Amino acid sequence: MSLNATDLTCYRSGRLIFSGLSFSLENGQATMLRGPNGVGKSTLLRVLAGVLEADGEVELNGTRLSGDRDAVQEQIAYAGHLDAIKPQLTVAENLTFWAGLFGGRIEDAVEQFSLAEIWDRPAHACSAGQKRRLGLARLMVSERPLWLLDEPTVSLDVETTARFAGIIAQHCAAGGMALIATHIDLGLANPQELLLHPLTEAQHAETADPFLSEDWT
Amino acid sequence: MWPELGKYGATVINAYIVTIVATGLLTWLSLRSARKSKETLEKLEARRNG
Amino acid sequence: MSIWEFANPVRFMRFSGKLLPYFSVSAALLIVTGLIWGFFFTPEADQFGSTVKIIYIHVPTAMLAINAWVMMFVASLIWLIRRHHVSALAAKAAAPIGAVMTVVAILTGAIWGQPMWGTYWAWDPRLTSFLVLFIFYLGYMALWTAIEEEDKAADLTSVLAMVGTVFAVLSRYAVNFWNQGLHQGASLSLDKEEHVADVYYLPLLVAIGGFVLLFIALLLLRTRTEIRNRRIRALQAREAR
Amino acid sequence: MSPTLALLARELRLSLRSGGGAGLGLAFFLIVVLLVPFGVGPVPSLLAQIAPGTLWVAALLATLLSLDRLFQADFEDGTLDILTLSPMPLEGLVAIKAFAHWLTTGLPLIVAAPVLALTLNLPDPAFFWLVTSLAAGTPALNFLGAIGASLTVGIRRGGLLLSLLVLPLYIPTLIFGASAVSAAADGADPMPAFLLLAGITLFTLALTPFAAAAALRMHMR
């Protein structure tokens, strides 16, 4: 499988976030998405997930996002800053809901993220790290080939981070792909890197906003 | 010159007053906001160009 | 040259700036002519007495109350399909005009109803429908002010305009059903067409023309204001960076 | 478990847990209906006459009460992003959530309404039509509410705005629903009003998932 992005340009409320971005990922690859704060890493991940709109084209396994968004989205698992956990429900209820919705199996995820010990605990009683583990476990139960991860290791301890890196490696070894925005070194063996550069002054001035047109009188 | 309005005089006059006041108010408010935004924008443009 | 050229804000500003004075002056002329003609130089009607003179304000404002919403519906549709900013801003600019026209139509109707029906307010299907329409205007304007991101506000208010149109029409028929269902509605109405004879028709036509021109003039003016405000915010946002 | 059932089960569980607000709507319904006699006086014939309208207006207000949370929580905690990636289209998701909301707020009202109608002295022949009309009409209230909820998601103090947006949409449902019950109470034929009510509901069920899903997508982009 492959992910190709061609000439992606994204504006948010008239402000340019990134422009002319092209790259491609191959299967079995984990790619680190790097760049300074505010460079548009989160935005890029959301564009690839089809949640945000951008100019340009995203192609996953030859299916274009603009052509058949549902078909593309059905191959994607996304984990953002928010864990999408309902505090009123237990860990078990949260996870089985996602498994039911995405049609995946939960046994592996429970084991890999050691959720058994907090299985019946209400999510509001979980620590930030436990919630994150639960949130990441969703990636495994959704059984999607492309993982888009936005700072997945926040509030994970060193040991869990290492374990999570192992899970990513496993996922990629099984033919999956992962694009991970992160500041830390996950310790993966020879990961690819995708570096986002801050906009130049000239690019900053560039705008799609017709209300910033220069020929205003 | 003034028309004979008969027993409904007050009704007709009231209706006209209401209409004139309401449309007048709408026009005045529209003009006021137009003037305000025009001045603000001109100041901004002057600062940008100057 | 295609009509969509004017969807560009810069071009719209130039072109609307040229047109605005003509519309303003002709609106004022026609309204003054129509109302003076109607008020001073038309006879009383048998059934209505001098209250017939109210049609010169009631009918045009009632027409605009509905047509302003129709215009907002079309402008919202254009925004949703072609994403022309001017279109969305024109819909936003039209709402307060439509709301005021609705209020005027309701008030003049109520004032007229007092001597005719013996009460200011009867749950006459027409009056009631206008009250409903007024609430739709309020909701539409409130949604615009509640959302900070302008394009998102344009998107969502457009959806509301679509849904609102469908339900305003549904409500109109529901209200008809309701009034007939519960009791005999007031059969006497101010804008029944059969009552309009030629003597009243000509000044009424002039007044309608005047109010339509007034609507266009106010719409241009307010749309220009909205466009300027958008530019102000865009410039300020860029300076703040 | 199919995606539909998984989502439905979660929605029901959430609304029945603390803070879900399922019981709140019902309690609100009771209070509003019981306040009316205090306002208009205890005359049985008067109460009987206003009972259909009172019950319908109270049902409508009770539905409104918990609407603002319909999408708000999912929007705030990132669930909505994940849900858009699920195999289920957003339109279906909206429909299921609105249906779950009806199960927890609309259904209890239908059950409680006849009991409250007793206190309002509703004439006997109208009881059947009260329940039938509420059963046919309340789904429309929840689905229309979904439009309002999707429009005001993420807005500060969105609850007030939501009421302003949604209440006018309720007018046709209210008119036909209450008319059907009134007609039955007066010994007239309730069928015309009831059929129109059912028509409005079917129309609403078909239309709203698309409008609400469109609004949610606009909020996310």
Side-chain angles (χ1 to χ4, degrees):
Chain A
M1 68 185 296
S2 65
L3 173 70
N4 290 305
T6 328
D7 205 17
L8 285 182
T9 301
C10 184
Y11 291 94
R12 302 283 286 145
S13 13
R15 206 163 65 92
L16 183 67
I17 307 293
F18 49 75
S19 80
L21 194 62
S22 300
F23 59 89
S24 66
L25 306 182
E26 296 297 321
N27 62 334
Q29 257 185 11
T31 309
M32 300 294 138
L33 181 57
R34 300 208 191 268
N37 285 331
V39 81
K41 298 191 291 288
S42 301
T43 307
L44 176 61
L45 289 175
R46 293 172 67 81
V47 166
L48 294 175
V51 181
L52 285 181
E53 276 172 18
D55 298 330
E57 192 54 83
V58 176
E59 221 180 78
L60 186 59
N61 294 339
T63 313
R64 296 206 320 247
L65 185 65
S66 63
D68 190 349
R69 184 163 59 179
D70 289 342
V72 172
Q73 284 186 325
E74 281 180 22
Q75 304 181 56
I76 292 174
Y78 167 80
H81 295 282
L82 301 162
D83 287 321
I85 288 169
K86 289 289 163 203
Q88 303 100 306
L89 301 182
T90 64
V91 170
E93 287 167 334
N94 270 298
L95 198 63
T96 43
F97 162 61
W98 292 119
L101 189 68
F102 286 97
R105 284 157 18 89
I106 56 176
E107 290 78 8
D108 283 353
V110 173
E111 196 211 309
Q112 296 269 20
F113 287 94
S114 357
L115 294 175
E117 57 195 65
I118 52 170
W119 192 236
D120 287 320
R121 190 178 295 185
H124 66 78
C126 289
S127 71
Q130 289 167 331
K131 278 187 200 156
R132 183 107 284 217
R133 262 154 58 198
L134 174 54
L136 294 175
R138 194 190 61 241
L139 295 170
M140 290 190 69
V141 302
S142 46
E143 295 179 358
R144 300 271 171 99
L146 174 58
W147 286 6
L148 299 173
L149 310 177
D150 198 354
E151 300 290 354
T153 55
V154 169
S155 60
L156 289 185
D157 55 31
V158 180
E159 189 199 339
T160 319
T161 305
R163 192 133 38 99
F164 182 56
I167 292 168
I168 294 175
Q170 227 175 35
H171 173 70
C172 293
M177 286 194 297
L179 184 58
I180 309 152
T182 180
H183 289 292
I184 65 157
D185 180 19
L186 279 176
L188 293 170
N190 57 34
Q192 304 291 310
E193 243 186 42
L194 179 61
L195 191 61
L196 289 189
H197 298 283
L199 297 175
T200 61
E201 274 307 308
Q203 281 176 316
H204 257 307
E206 200 179 300
T207 176
D209 193 345
F211 295 95
L212 283 173
S213 154
E214 285 304 324
D215 58 350
W216 198 273
T217 43
Chain B
M1 186 62 217
W2 189 257
E4 184 54 56
L5 295 173
K7 58 178 172 169
Y8 299 132
T11 305
V12 179
I13 302 285
N14 281 342
Y16 272 77
I17 289 176
V18 162
T19 310
I20 290 165
V21 167
T23 41
L25 206 64
L26 173 70
T27 311
W28 181 69
L29 286 174
S30 304
L31 283 170
R32 203 183 62 161
S33 60
R35 198 172 341 105
K36 245 195 227 156
S37 68
K38 189 165 185 240
E39 280 166 10
T40 317
L41 184 58
E42 273 165 4
K43 252 184 251 161
L44 262 175
E45 302 277 8
R47 189 149 42 125
R48 253 160 47 88
N49 299 330
Chain C
M1 194 166 81
S2 124
I3 186 172
W4 301 117
E5 298 272 305
F6 301 114
N8 174 298
V10 180
R11 254 184 232 114
F12 180 84
M13 286 305 277
R14 282 190 202 129
F15 140 93
S16 64
K18 278 188 204 119
L19 284 184
L20 188 53
Y22 296 105
F23 278 108
S24 313
V25 170
S26 51
L29 273 179
L30 280 190
I31 286 181
V32 169
T33 312
L35 292 191
I36 287 180
W37 186 353
F39 188 83
F40 291 98
F41 304 108
T42 55
E44 295 187 2
D46 296 340
Q47 206 179 354
F48 298 108
S50 60
T51 61
V52 72
K53 295 179 194 298
I54 295 179
I55 60 166
Y56 308 115
I57 50 182
H58 179 77
V59 173
T61 49
M63 282 177 61
L64 280 185
I66 295 167
N67 286 305
W69 185 275
V70 173
M71 176 255 149
M72 281 159 55
F73 172 79
V74 173
S76 301
L77 204 61
I78 292 174
W79 161 252
L80 285 180
I81 295 169
R82 303 203 48 149
R83 306 204 73 76
H84 292 307
H85 288 85
V86 173
S87 186
L89 293 179
K92 183 186 186 185
I97 312 175
V100 169
M101 290 302 147
T102 313
V103 171
V104 172
I106 291 173
L107 286 178
T108 50
I111 290 172
W112 176 86
Q114 209 281 325
M116 287 297 130
W117 302 332
T119 169
Y120 280 108
W121 188 263
W123 289 94
D124 164 73
R126 278 166 194 263
L127 277 181
T128 312
S129 304
F130 273 83
L131 199 58
V132 173
L133 182 62
F134 181 61
I135 301 171
F136 275 108
Y137 274 118
L138 286 187
Y140 178 86
M141 292 190 286
L143 189 60
W144 261 109
T145 51
I147 304 165
E148 273 156 35
E149 279 170 71
E150 285 109 340
D151 281 359
K152 190 187 278 184
D155 280 341
L156 293 167
T157 51
S158 297
V159 171
L160 181 64
M162 305 290 118
V163 176
T165 305
V166 171
F167 276 83
V169 173
L170 274 180
S171 301
R172 177 73 183 88
Y173 290 103
V175 164
N176 254 342
F177 174 92
W178 158 78
N179 192 298
Q180 284 158 8
L182 295 181
H183 49 83
Q184 274 305 306
S187 59
L188 215 58
S189 190
L190 189 52
D191 29 24
K192 279 235 173 99
E193 277 168 36
E194 62 254 43
H195 295 305
V196 184
D198 265 1
V199 219
Y200 310 115
Y201 194 62
L202 284 175
L204 177 59
L205 219 56
V206 176
I208 290 175
F211 272 93
V212 169
L213 288 171
L214 174 71
F215 174 74
I216 296 173
L218 284 174
L219 180 64
L220 287 177
L221 179 68
R222 297 187 65 95
T223 309
R224 287 168 64 80
T225 306
E226 294 295 344
I227 291 174
R228 286 204 177 100
N229 286 342
R230 270 298 287 269
R231 178 158 172 90
I232 290 170
R233 279 194 293 271
L235 288 175
Q236 282 169 343
R238 189 150 81 176
E239 275 184 17
R241 194 162 57 219
Chain D
M1 194 159 45
S2 79
T4 311
L5 281 180
L7 184 61
L8 193 60
R10 184 193 79 136
E11 288 297 313
L12 293 180
R13 213 173 256 148
L14 279 174
S15 59
L16 297 176
R17 289 281 155 86
S18 63
L24 219 59
L26 185 59
F28 185 78
F29 183 60
L30 299 177
I31 292 167
V32 170
V33 173
L34 294 179
L35 279 179
V36 169
F38 294 127
V40 302
V43 187
S45 60
L46 177 62
L47 288 177
Q49 209 190 348
I50 62 166
T54 306
L55 289 163
W56 259 97
V57 171
L60 193 144
L61 294 176
T63 309
L64 211 57
L65 205 60
S66 53
L67 266 180
D68 58 331
R69 299 304 295 169
L70 190 55
F71 300 116
Q72 188 73 25
D74 284 345
F75 182 74
E76 282 168 0
D77 66 14
T79 305
L80 214 49
D81 288 337
I82 313 297
L83 289 176
T84 54
L85 295 178
S86 79
M88 197 185 298
L90 200 53
E91 285 79 7
L93 218 119
V94 168
I96 291 166
K97 282 180 81 79
F99 176 65
H101 190 247
W102 176 77
L103 283 180
T104 54
T105 63
L107 205 53
L109 298 186
I110 301 173
V111 176
V115 182
L116 289 171
L118 281 175
T119 70
L120 292 180
N121 201 30
L122 185 75
D124 289 342
F127 273 78
F128 170 76
W129 287 100
L130 174 67
V131 175
T132 318
S133 75
L134 280 174
T138 46
L141 301 181
N142 297 89
F143 273 72
L144 286 174
I147 293 189
S150 64
L151 285 173
T152 55
V153 117
I155 295 177
R156 262 176 290 120
R157 300 181 64 81
L160 281 172
L161 181 59
L162 175 73
S163 315
L164 180 60
L165 298 185
V166 167
L167 283 175
L169 303 181
Y170 284 173
I171 291 171
T173 300
L174 173 64
I175 287 177
F176 295 127
S179 300
V181 187
S182 294
D186 297 345
D189 183 12
M191 265 329 251
F194 177 76
L195 289 178
L196 286 165
L197 173 72
I200 298 273
T201 301
L202 290 178
F203 174 71
T204 305
L205 297 189
L207 169 92
T208 50
F210 296 96
L216 286 178
R217 286 206 185 92
M218 289 164 176
H219 267 292
M220 282 186 286
R221 80 172 161 225

